[in-house]
Each structure stands twice: as structure tokens, then as C-alpha cells.
Amino acid sequence: MEMNREKLCGSKADGSSDSAYHCSTCHDDEEWSNTSRGRAKSRSLSASPALGSTKEFRRTRSLHGPCPVTTFGPKACMLQNPKTIMHIQDPASQRLTWNKPPKSVLVIKKIRDASLLQPFKELCVYLTEENNMIVYVEKKVLEDPAIANDENFGPVKKKFCTFREDYDDISNQIDFIICLGGDGTLLYASSLFQGSVPPVMAFHLGSLGFLTPFNFENFQSQVTQVIEGNAALVLRSRLKVKVVKEHREKMTVQNGIEENGVVSASIEKEVGKQIMQYQVLNEVVVDRGPSSYLSNVDVFLDGHLITTVQGDGVIVSTPTGSTAYAAAAGASMIHPNVPAIMITPICPHSLSFRPIVVPAGVELKIMLSPDARNTAWVSFDGRKRQEICHGDSISITTSCYPLPSICFRDPVSDWFESLAECLHWNVRKKQNNFAVEE
């Protein structure tokens, strides 16, 4: 294994407790693990309970959804601020703070993009030599010939800690993340952390950049501000997805590694069933796949059948994902601070089937209709695509582990600027005024 054991494992002599506990404000099956180094155990609620009823308070799932985790990675958390609007935290008060100075940073670079080689090298030199930080880089990034054959970059590269996706667990070793690329790098960073996600700083070096508010020209001062804790945060909610499949073929699993050598992340084995869990930042897409027939799936909300989708499929998205595939399918765009889940049909076979928004925290369940002619296919942020057959189910709800995205200015200004710059929202030639007659 290429991972540096000494740096990766770290020291646990900071007094942290490894005991698992449950958050009473979330789902009964949501298990929280306090394995971080010196991480605070307290949780801040957006809706404050009445005085004297803290122990009995249970956050209403149908109104606000689960209480999001407000500690991110081993050292970061949200700055406590009592400023509220109608018992909901003001987005402007969401500020980053550190329990301890950050020491480790994960740098995610877009693969197969030669234009990012120079920014990547400059950033890594700045982090290692000027800030004396531990830099984690994915192994396949360093296998690029332009990096592997650069002798001047060799001394810096030797200081890196490398890891491989699905093989090495770095979830509790990273203090914050820096992404170089487009929106896909942020989605990839989310997929690496199935629990608490460290703060993410995303630089716009890709094609669209809706989720990447920082420009790389002044990266030194911007990174320094983040290290000092001078930054605003937007908590991008994620979806907790559980896929339950009927066990149809015998699979030999040894130490979590299948026969083909691929690690199956978050897979549990039950009698006759296979359960997989995912944390999704943008959307869950259920479609008809290669079949020429309409997809025919039933959608349940908190156990009640609300509709049957007949068409090309259905999109279940977060507010962050509302500006992605859902927007292309005709849905409204929702600010990331709005606690909601959006259900958008894909080319429905009905003129009256409009996208709807449901409260965060409700549990959606999608299954093939009993009379469906064909199977369906599901993907999670465009990855892990798999077939859904009769008897299988997809359960979706709001995750307690949001992705804390560092803002360039503040959550509202950054979002509207992205709408104008990336999507050209409401851009048109202005109407001429009447000429003044003298």
C-alpha cells in the first residue's frame, strides 16, 4: 500500500473518544461516530428547542429534516452564532472556524487535463514549503507522465501522502479539501467521504464552474484566509440513499473485496438481500436504460404511494443538484440553504406531471411497478450505475452529513453570481425607452 502509515494513521492522544453514539434529532438508524481528534461532541440545531426541554426535543423531520453535522473533518466546525431568522440560522452567519490549526489538506485535481499541471504544482509547493502542511494526493494523479518525469517537482512529490479510491480510508485524516477543476471535482470529493466531509475550497479551472467560486490568480491569499478561519460556508445537503436488491447470484466476498478485486464500499450482506448505501450531492437518477419501453416506477413518500412515473425516468435531487440535471429537465432552481428535496420527471408521458419540492427529511422510496414491462437503471451523481429489477427498492432521505463548501463572498452572492455567469440566468437585450419629445 502506497499510503504513508505514520502520517495517515496520525496520533489519537488528543483525548478523543472512539465510542459511537446516536443523535436524537435524526433518524433512529443514523449512527454517529466520534473518532475525530479533539472534535467537539456538541451539535448546533438550526431550530432551537424551548428552554428546559432540551432532552425531550426531537427535531421535526417533515419540517426541517435531520439536524446536519456541524463539525467537518477532524478540526473544522461552524462558528457558533445566535443570530437567527424565524428560528432558522441566517446563511450570512455560517462561518468557518477551527478547533485546532489545520495541518493536512487533500488536493483533488481533474484528471487528463494538461492545463492544470502548473496550478497543481504551484499550489502543492505553496502548501508544503510555505505552510508546512501534509498534502494528500490520489495516486493516479501522480502517475501523470508530466508530473512523474518532472525532476524539479520531485522533492515536493516525495512529501505527499498518496491514497487509492475504494482501498484507503482517509475520512478522518483530512482537515480540508482543495479542488482544482470543474464541478465534477467537487462531486468526486463528496464521494470520497461517506460520513463527515471536511470543508471544501473549489477553484474554477474547469468548463462550467457553477460550484467552484474561487479564481486561481490569488490563491495564496485565499488559501491563507481559509487556514486562518476567515471564510463563509454554505452547507450543501446530501442525500442518504439505500439500495436493497434481491440476492440473485452467489458472490464470494472476503475482507470486503470481491473476486474481481474491486472493493464494494458500504455493502452489507443479509439473507437473500444485498444492501448498498451512498451519500449523494447532486441527484439520484432512475431511468429506463437501454430499453425502448417507458419506465414504470412507483414513488412512495413516508410509506404512502404518491405517484407512478411513466416516461424516461425520474430525478431526485438536492438543492445543489437543482441547477444540474433537474434544471435541464425543467425544474426550478433552489438555493442550497433551502431544506428540500426535489422530484423531477424525465420526459413524462403526461402533460400535467410537473416537478415538485418536498420537505427535507421525508423518506422517499422508489420501486418498479408490478406491471412494469422492463427493468430500470439508477445512478448516483452519475456514478455507480446499476440495474434495478422487480423486488428491488431505492430509499432516499436527507443525509445528516452535508458538504461544507467554502464561499468566495457569502452563500447568497456566490449563488446568484453563478446563475448569471455560468447559466446566463435572465440574460436578454434590454428594452429601449421612449424617446423624449421636446
Side-chain angles (χ1 to χ4, degrees):
M1 181 176 293
E2 298 293 334
M3 188 176 297
N4 189 320
R5 294 291 183 182
E6 296 180 357
K7 294 181 179 179
L8 183 61
C9 297
S11 174
K12 293 186 178 180
D14 295 326
S16 62
S17 174
D18 292 337
S19 60
Y21 60 97
H22 293 270
C23 177
S24 62
T25 61
C26 305
H27 300 304
D28 294 335
D29 62 342
E30 194 72 66
E31 189 170 289
W32 306 67
S33 177
N34 185 22
T35 59
S36 63
R37 296 165 291 179
R39 190 184 304 179
K41 292 184 179 180
S42 61
R43 295 287 185 267
S44 65
L45 298 177
S46 298
S48 300
L51 295 177
S53 62
T54 304
K55 294 183 180 179
E56 302 298 328
F57 174 76
R58 180 179 178 85
R59 189 171 187 174
T60 306
R61 287 178 53 198
S62 60
L63 181 62
H64 295 106
C67 167
V69 172
T70 54
T71 57
F72 317 112
K75 298 175 183 175
C77 62
M78 186 182 295
L79 180 65
Q80 298 298 316
N81 194 320
K83 184 178 180 181
T84 58
I85 297 179
M86 295 178 61
H87 303 290
I88 299 176
Q89 187 175 25
D90 179 10
S93 68
Q94 296 177 179
R95 307 287 301 181
L96 172 67
T97 187
W98 301 98
N99 295 323
K100 296 180 180 179
K103 291 297 182 183
S104 60
V105 55
L106 169 62
V107 178
I108 297 179
K109 172 189 162 297
K110 185 179 179 181
I111 305 296
R112 297 186 300 274
D113 192 340
S115 64
L116 298 182
L117 294 176
Q118 189 60 32
F120 172 75
K121 294 176 182 179
E122 293 179 7
L123 175 64
C124 292
V125 170
Y126 176 75
L127 292 172
T128 56
E129 296 185 356
E130 297 191 28
N131 287 276
N132 196 26
M133 302 194 71
I134 302 173
V135 177
Y136 286 76
V137 178
E138 194 170 8
K139 184 180 179 182
K140 62 183 179 182
V141 172
L142 300 182
E143 293 174 351
D144 190 321
I147 296 178
N149 299 329
D150 190 347
E151 297 180 358
N152 295 328
F153 193 63
V156 178
K157 187 172 61 175
K158 291 180 180 179
K159 300 179 182 179
F160 290 161
C161 291
T162 61
F163 71 96
R164 294 172 296 174
E165 182 187 7
D166 293 334
Y167 279 86
D168 301 322
D169 183 14
I170 59 171
S171 58
N172 198 38
Q173 310 300 326
I174 306 300
D175 294 334
F176 73 102
I177 305 170
I178 297 180
C179 294
L180 302 178
D183 295 342
T185 57
L186 191 67
L187 296 175
Y188 180 68
S190 173
S191 68
L192 293 176
F193 296 86
Q194 294 300 300
S196 176
V197 187
V200 182
M201 183 180 190
F203 285 94
H204 174 33
L205 293 169
S207 55
L208 183 62
F210 190 91
L211 306 177
T212 55
F214 289 92
N215 293 320
F216 195 76
E217 285 75 13
N218 301 318
F219 77 92
Q220 294 94 338
S221 60
Q222 294 169 347
V223 171
T224 300
Q225 287 185 353
V226 172
I227 295 175
E228 294 175 351
N230 182 20
L233 280 178
V234 56
L235 298 185
R236 299 188 179 276
S237 65
R238 299 195 294 174
L239 299 175
K240 185 182 73 171
V241 186
K242 182 171 70 172
V243 180
V244 180
K245 288 188 174 184
E246 296 291 341
H247 188 56
R248 296 178 180 85
E249 59 181 357
K250 187 176 181 180
M251 299 173 62
T252 303
V253 178
Q254 298 179 353
N255 298 327
I257 302 179
E258 297 178 7
E259 290 180 338
N260 58 4
V262 178
V263 173
S264 301
S266 302
I267 289 184
E268 301 175 4
K269 289 293 181 180
E270 291 185 355
V271 178
K273 291 186 179 181
Q274 178 184 7
I275 301 177
M276 294 161 285
Q277 293 189 12
Y278 305 94
Q279 297 283 333
V280 178
L281 179 59
N282 260 2
E283 73 270 308
V284 179
V285 178
V286 180
D287 60 72
R288 60 190 177 98
S291 174
S292 59
Y293 296 110
L294 296 175
S295 69
N296 197 334
V297 295
D298 295 334
V299 180
F300 299 84
L301 192 150
D302 285 341
H304 302 284
L305 178 66
I306 58 172
T307 191
T308 297
V309 179
Q310 294 186 92
D312 281 354
V314 63
I315 306 169
V316 180
S317 60
T318 63
T320 297
S322 68
T323 53
Y325 194 1
S332 297
M333 295 180 288
I334 306 175
H335 190 275
N337 277 114
V338 178
I341 299 175
M342 176 172 284
I343 304 173
T344 306
I346 307 173
C347 298
H349 204 246
S350 170
L351 294 177
S352 60
F353 197 168
R354 302 297 300 273
I356 61 172
V357 178
V358 296
V362 300
E363 184 174 1
L364 297 171
K365 191 172 185 179
I366 301 177
M367 301 180 67
L368 273 179
S369 298
D371 55 351
R373 293 183 176 182
N374 60 295
T375 62
W377 290 76
V378 62
S379 61
F380 314 93
D381 284 342
R383 310 181 73 205
K384 309 293 184 182
R385 185 171 171 82
Q386 54 196 270
E387 189 175 14
I388 299 297
C389 303
H390 285 91
D392 300 343
S393 66
I394 306 168
S395 299
I396 306 170
T397 189
T398 304
S399 172
C400 288
Y401 301 103
L403 184 142
S405 180
I406 299 174
C407 301
F408 179 69
R409 291 189 180 87
D410 59 79
V412 176
S413 299
D414 285 6
W415 192 69
F416 277 100
E417 186 172 344
S418 293
L419 287 181
E421 294 295 329
C422 300
L423 301 184
H424 303 291
W425 178 64
N426 198 28
V427 174
R428 66 179 294 272
K429 186 177 180 180
K430 291 187 177 181
Q431 187 180 45
N432 294 330
N433 60 347
F434 289 113
V436 178
E437 295 183 1
E438 297 182 358

